[in-house]
Amino acid sequence: MLLIDCPFCGKRPELEFRYAGEAHIARPADPSGLGDEAWGRFLYGRGNPRGMHAERWRHLNGCGRFFNALRDTTDDRFAATYKIGEERPMVAEPQGARKA
Amino acid sequence: MQKFSALALLRHAFGGHEGWRPQWRSPEPKGTYDVVIVGGGGHGLATAYYLAKEFGISNVAVLEKGWIGGGNTGRNTTIIRSNYLFDESVALYDHAVKLWEALSQALNYNVMFSQRGVIMLAHNVHDQQSLKRHIHANRLNGVDNEWLTASDAKAFCPPLNIENSMRYPVIGAALQRRGGVARHDAVAWGYARAADALGVDIVENCAVTAIRRGVNGALEGIETTRGTIETRKVGVVTAGNTSTVMAMADLRMPLESYPLQALVSEPVKPIFPCVVMSNTIHAYISQSDKGELVIGAGTDAYVSYTQRGGLHVPMHTLEAICELFPIFRRLRMLRNWGGIVDVTPDRSPIIGKTPVPGLYVNCGWGTGGFKATPGSGHLFAWTLAKDEPHPINAPFRLDRFRDGYLIDEAAAAAVAH
Amino acid sequence: MSAPFRLGAGGRIDRSRKLRFWLDRKAYEGVAGDTLASALLANGVHLVGRSFKYHRPRGIMAAGSDEPNALVSVGSGSRFTPNLRATQVELTDGLVAQSQNRWPSLGRDFGALNDVFSPLFPAGFYYKTFMWPKSAWKRIYEPKIRAMAGLGRAPTLPDSDTYTQRYAHCDALIVGAGPAGIAAALAAEAHGARVILCDEQAELGGSLLAETKATIDGKEASAWLSDALSRLSHSPNVRWLSRTTAFGCFPHNMVGLAERLTDHLPSPSEGRPRERLWQVRAKEVVLATGALERPLVFPDNDRPGIMLADAARQYLARYAVKPGTRVVVVTAHDQAYRAATELAEAGVEIAAILDIRQDASGSWAEQARGAGLHILSSTTICATSGRHRVSSVEIAPVGRDGKVGPRSRLACDLVLMCGGFTPAIHLFSQARGKLRFEERLNAFLPDGGAEGVRCAGASRGIFGLDAAIADGVAAGEAAARDAVGGGVEAAHSPVPLPKDLDGRRLDPLPHDRSPHRVKAFVDFQNDVTAKDVKLAVREGFRSIEHIKRYTTTGMATDQGKTSNMNALGIAASALDKPLPDVGLTTFRMPYTPVTFGTFAGVARGELFDPVRVTPTHDWASAHGAVFEDVGQWKRARYFPLKDEDMHRAVARECQAVRQSVGVFDASTLGKIEIVGPDAAEFMNRIYVNPWSRLEPGRCRYGVMLREDGSILDDGVVGRLAADRFHVTTTTGGAAQVLNHMEDFLQTEWSGLDCWLTSTTEQWAVIAVQGPDSRKILERLVDDIDLSAAAMPHMSVREGHVCGVPARVFRVSFTGELGFEINVPADHGRAVWQAVLDAGFSRSLTPYGTEAMHVMRAEKGYIIVGQDTDGTVTADDVGLSWAIGKTKKDFVGKRSLARPALSDPGRKQLVGLVTEDPELVLEEGAQIIAEEPTASHRSAPHKMIGHVTSSYFSATLGRGIALAMVAGGRRRMGETLYVPMPEGSIKAVVTNPVFLDPEGKRLDA
Amino acid sequence: MADLLVRPRAALADVLRNGRHGASDGAPGLILCERTELSAATLIARKGQARALAELVKSAYGIDLPSTPRFAGNQLPDGRFLVFLWAGFEQWLALIEGAQEFERELTLGLGKRASIADQSDARAVLRLRGPKAREVLAKGIAIDLHPRAFKTGDVALTLAAHIGVQLWQVDETPTYEIAVARSLAKSLWAWLSASAAEYGYEVVGEIR
């Protein structure tokens, strides 16, 4: 069970959280102005990287807030958690990232 | 290819089994191939086999970064069934089941396909409506699937608990008698041996590091840890790592990779005659030829490539197993492991061409790829050979996520109301 | 009947407490402190099991959790447990054990025929045969294979024991209470750390328990141990757990412990849980898990009476048992000399010590020489004999050229072997620590890389008592420093690997016999021999993972504790590769098998998953309601009278609502309060409907989509004030709707000035439906004008019901005049009763979800999740009228413009009436367009839709159904076919509104 | 007809039985009661109004609105005790003993700065005290309740046996209070009573 550092509640067990997918995929300002290709990418295209991943979590069974996190998908260690609207922190790309 | 048979065993016994030759060669990769398959799992090896066997294309290499069958092929719970809802899915999975039924003979390798029947449990009115919808759709598609009352289900699977004291009592079940299990490693090895005999190069410990494209964007070759390979056709079949490989061709896939755990009990004498699945309380179980209870847990909630998950996931699964089969409560977990599953938005696979000419992909099988291995390999081989999809895999194209023609088995199961 | 091989003195046993036990119905006697294995050895019993494949007689090889052979079933009835290691079963009075995998008896086992025909069954033989004739696989071969496989029988009765679980947190979790672990615990505790110390054995102490001579800090080892334990047990910051196996390391330093609570008690006291699962979150983990002794691989090395050397020493020192009378020791490591010396001192005859090495010069060897033991260096074993117990060995010298010289026979009843020691790095590897191969030990050692996890003592190659303790102190200090911080400093540093490492043997012992004929076992339980491993390599399996899977070596219930390194060594030389290049198979949890029940804990029955109930739940069950599960909720499905079945009860309930009045508990509906200046704007973006012009006091039916255009949920929304909406959702959808709304509000539209609060739990919702509903409510409400003029259909008022603050909605899901009263939940039960009393004269009838479903279907109202699934759009179910046409955007709007979602061939909601009014279609039944003629009755059929809802409508006196049919709205009046196994049913497509299409009843 | 007054029924009224339960030897490991006399409401600060709200609360009730997972309370002039429990970012749960229409009362005072919703009937609140309190809670709560990690005045929104709860420590005895959704209160009780049984527990009318 992961230990996740909620920016509002501190370190809490994974059970309290709900994973909410890749972060920083902003909803287009004018969806109707988008072609099917671009809209399809927005709906379904995901980076799914092997390495540092910016992702959303919601502290569902806690304070209820959504927040972002940087986690290395090759060892599940968190490099950072940060509030919605904050910039993605600069952290070093981990060893072994993107190795197929 | 050395013929496998009881007689051969007897003959070799006298020679102390010194006479057996390697089941497949260990060649150095050549500089060029007609087709390169990236990924030496069941699907990739099957693709290579059918390319050589059915389409006469044998100048083929299968590149595996580790050891063949070491990914999800060797990590799954080996459940085989075709009782899906939509016509497209049924066609796809039943194509595979038909091939399974003759696979041991076709490969001269006993893959131990055991059609012991797959039961899917209903725990509430909504489950019942959903399973009935599957049953009727399957029947009209000529695929076997029948409704069992709770006591029918108990009769078919005696260890099953159908008491009303359960939190979510069993109110009925759907049974596909043609469903079952197979020996996962044997599938990879059997296809490898047969493909190798037809001239396919199976190259282990060879990872792709780059995909080379020409000025027109078309594929020209690949870079690997064992050198450059020129080829005009590459089929990517790297379940769990598809996004990473496709990123080498600058493609952003509609995929997320999740850890999937499974476990086995210590071996016991035969006690469990079939496969039982409950999607509502998350439990999948069968008994292997060796006597181990083979149990599937759910995926962990987050994207990860660690091939390991949290303790709470197998705990949740065993809560369900013990609730459904109280006589197993004293059995013991022997081994737990994790795989990486590529999950698409509609929980259906992608088999076909990509925007990059010469690059083909077969991925997104989620937690259910093993059952499709022969069909998937055959259809992908067709697509690679003819540069167009077979009618069965045509609907499973990549651009359905642009147009919205999803084949949404998950959504069709809908939610409780 | 006292045990003949028990010494008169010594050991950590209580001779005064005699225990009687049975193996295969033969009675024996042991004493308190025995394991089943030590007690059997004390009685001279070595034959205890049969191997998996060849059914070879097997004895006791080890003394702990690494035992591969001595597996037994223990107990009976609801406490029968198969596959337990005799070396781990603590002896209790009256214990009943059975040997396994033999028929008819352990002594005479027909399965042993496999051994005779073993040349036919090399590794992986089953992949090569059983393929002809095809049909025989299912009928003959597979059932036979399955019957042969498996070890013990599975229990056939539900387990009568209970299990418990708990979470725990600490600064330092120390796994293994041997010298290193105890030293680490003392050091960490001294630095103020919260410590948990666990050990899989009944007694803490590990190797100290077999230290009869050594001294620590001038004390006898046993005295040092008891002092250390008393100090630990007096510290408020230390919790120590015996009989507790750390079975797995999980992400972020979560470690799973399995604690055995009652199996060692004579009669499991009822109510006490059998085992406890600990989920420990440790800031730092110290693994002091010791090392495992390796067997030697030589011909027929599996006979009962062939044992690991140090295991024999432990039986002697801990249990005062002489495992044999005349011993041959064969070794590649000095530790075996220690065993020989101590056995000799106990009066056991040492026939010879065979050392495969050219000379042994360690201190233990010197002592043995000093004791005058007969030592033969450069000597090997070529054969052993003895059917149920080893009776002699044939030994031979090995020349410098490796040539095996002439054999000679030595009689013996015990053979001790020692191939060296393998550090137990299982947990470290699970924690994703890096490993490096140490040539001088022929072992993999921890090499960092695991966050907050460090090893100490033998588990990192530090052998010897003093070194292990020093290493433990360093590890304990470091763990405390990293966990507690605050100036805590580590004064000691880890002990470096000594220069003169010895004991390195992974290859089989040389012998002069035909390699095809002999069986030199590597994996004892799975009957994998050296030649099986070589065969796998010969057949082209190059990766150790392949070799493991092809031969099944290391896949038995001991998970290769004694076999993995030997298999690796043999594979490496067969592949002619350096051992590290062959790789190492992954270590997987659990370290030793863990009971399913321990993982499941208390989760059974009502504790399996929480139950949600409404304030009227107890009233409903008291009045005979039949409930259905909807998510976690229990909802009353119908209220049968006396001998009514569901069909008749539902008909009666519907009739009451249509003709007079009924009452229904709608409390499970989700309720969300949306408040703030931007509330209406938020609603406009989330729902397809327009909200700006909805007057306060009025309601509207709302539909919301996922971003992909499919219907997420629906429900009635009341506007209480310009800046306040009372939203209702479906029962099952409530949580995901709130999550959906919060997601957009928090992340996409954080600028909007409004807030969401779930009020689902605050309000009990009582629906009063039917022509007489107003008359009844008027008796309970006095500050709200309920008249049609003042309170039209789809309006909401705040006031009091029965004097309780209430929100009264005039809404209807039945098509009748109706109201939904929202009152504070604590008052729900009483107001419910008040409504019943007020309606008594009008035969007001409680109705359940089934009647509700029928009545809403008569009106063509959909249920999200039943008539829709995750693929259905608002237009598909005829709700495009709800979409705010002038709105530029709302969630899901863009997706509706994609080709697939505007495809004219999409399925649309229609009504279906069967030709035969008595016929009720089956929900989920499929629909086709052409009548299946005899010619094409068989599959496949082109399906154009399916039945989503279907009921017998008592009101209409016929079966009615809702269905999703391709292009359905263009098919009104068409006859379609529903093929059932019994034949296909004709049905006509109709408008989905079967009753009162003009809605006169609603507006009454 | 407003005179036809109905009596409220607390969430656990049907299952709580006063007296000693579970293991009967020695002093009970745990003493529990349901706090039926409480009124409750959620406060959510309006956009950018959190500070203003805090000042308002300070002046109106003399309470420092906690901005971290803590609670703060004060005895009001009329003798009633009012507490504000942190309940997420700029959100609080307000609890008061025996108030009629607590929501209205708060709205009058704080309505301009916060949106307020009555939750008096939405939650059951249990008070539990005793030497075994931590052992019992640790069976289903995954957060660390050791005095070094969770202190008097601390509040946690977490899970107890898969049920969402709000937990806070009242004193060092230790005494805890747990708020749980009304519909799930009986399930929480089923788990809690089963978990406390081995230590013996006593249900009482109230714990002062």
Side-chain angles (χ1 to χ4, degrees), chain C residues 967-980:
Chain C
R969 290 200 286 269
R970 296 192 308 271
R971 294 176 182 267
M972 289 299 150
E974 246 180 70
T975 298
L976 302 177
Y977 303 85
V978 181
M980 301 299 284

Side-chain angles (χ1 to χ4, degrees), chain C residues 383-592:
Chain C
T384 71
S385 46
R387 180 152 166 270
H388 287 166
R389 168 106 183 246
V390 64
S391 59
S392 72
V393 299
E394 296 190 31
I395 68 173
V398 183
R400 293 207 173 277
D401 55 3
K403 282 225 164 39
V404 175
R407 289 193 219 168
S408 53
R409 174 180 292 266
L410 276 178
C412 62
D413 61 2
L414 181 68
V415 174
L416 301 185
M417 55 183 171
C418 179
F421 290 80
T422 305
I425 48 175
H426 306 66
L427 292 171
F428 184 77
S429 169
Q430 281 185 32
R432 292 297 199 260
K434 294 193 189 65
L435 303 174
R436 69 175 177 86
F437 185 70
E438 174 51 62
E439 280 289 342
R440 299 173 301 165
L441 279 176
N442 263 348
F444 286 91
L445 296 181
D447 193 25
E451 205 173 20
V453 180
R454 51 171 62 75
C455 294
S459 65
R460 54 175 289 264
I462 302 302
F463 298 98
L465 193 49
D466 301 339
I469 288 175
D471 202 44
V473 169
E477 283 179 348
R481 175 197 61 209
D482 294 352
V484 182
V488 179
E489 271 314 323
H492 303 74
S493 48
V495 175
L497 280 184
K499 304 273 168 298
D500 59 338
L501 292 170
D502 77 328
R504 32 192 315 223
R505 179 93 199 178
L506 295 175
D507 317 327
L509 299 187
H511 60 81
D512 58 1
R513 299 167 60 193
S514 152
H516 311 331
R517 295 275 167 276
V518 305
K519 290 200 187 73
F521 286 90
V522 176
D523 183 312
F524 289 74
Q525 190 183 120
N526 272 0
D527 281 336
V528 181
T529 63
K531 65 175 181 242
D532 288 321
V533 175
K534 290 178 189 147
L535 172 64
V537 171
R538 192 177 309 127
E539 291 199 67
F541 295 92
R542 295 161 198 89
S543 152
I544 191 63
E545 285 284 358
H546 276 157
I547 292 165
K548 166 185 165 187
R549 288 157 177 263
Y550 191 66
T551 62
T552 74
T553 185
M555 298 183 82
T557 65
D558 58 335
Q559 288 290 286
K561 287 185 179 61
T562 50
S563 61
N564 278 350
M565 287 309 291
N566 284 337
L568 198 50
I570 293 164
S573 41
L575 286 159
D576 193 22
K577 279 191 194 171
L579 189 141
D581 298 4
V582 184
L584 180 64
T585 57
T586 329
F587 292 96
R588 307 198 182 279
M589 82 108 164
Y591 176 68
T592 54

Side-chain angles (χ1 to χ4, degrees), chain C residues 607-653:
Chain C
L607 292 182
F608 177 76
D609 195 38
V611 182
R612 298 184 73 178
V613 294
T614 70
T616 69
H617 181 82
D618 295 339
W619 182 94
S621 45
H623 288 71
V626 175
F627 292 91
E628 71 168 325
D629 289 302
V630 181
Q632 289 181 325
W633 287 101
K634 290 280 180 193
R635 300 197 74 181
R637 193 176 183 190
Y638 58 99
F639 294 84
L641 300 177
K642 293 185 289 315
D643 51 5
E644 270 182 342
D645 60 8
M646 179 168 92
H647 181 70
R648 282 162 56 214
V650 168
R652 174 179 48 77
E653 292 171 11

Side-chain angles (χ1 to χ4, degrees), chain B residues 17 136 168 306 330 333 417, chain C residues 119 161 432 594 609 630 922:
Chain B
H17 298 285
H136 291 299
Y168 297 109
T306 56
R330 284 180 102 84
M333 180 199 289
H417 48 279
Chain C
D161 278 314
R432 292 297 199 260
V594 178
D609 195 38
V630 181
E922 187 162 281

Side-chain angles (χ1 to χ4, degrees), chain C residues 50-56 101 111-115 118 121-126 148 151 524-528 532 551-552:
Chain C
R50 290 276 176 169
S51 64
F52 191 89
K53 187 174 168 189
Y54 302 135
H55 289 247
R56 306 216 348 158
N101 203 39
L113 272 172
N114 291 11
D115 199 22
S118 60
F121 311 136
F125 72 96
Y126 30 77
M148 293 298 280
L151 290 166
F524 289 74
Q525 190 183 120
N526 272 0
D527 281 336
V528 181
D532 288 321
T551 62
T552 74

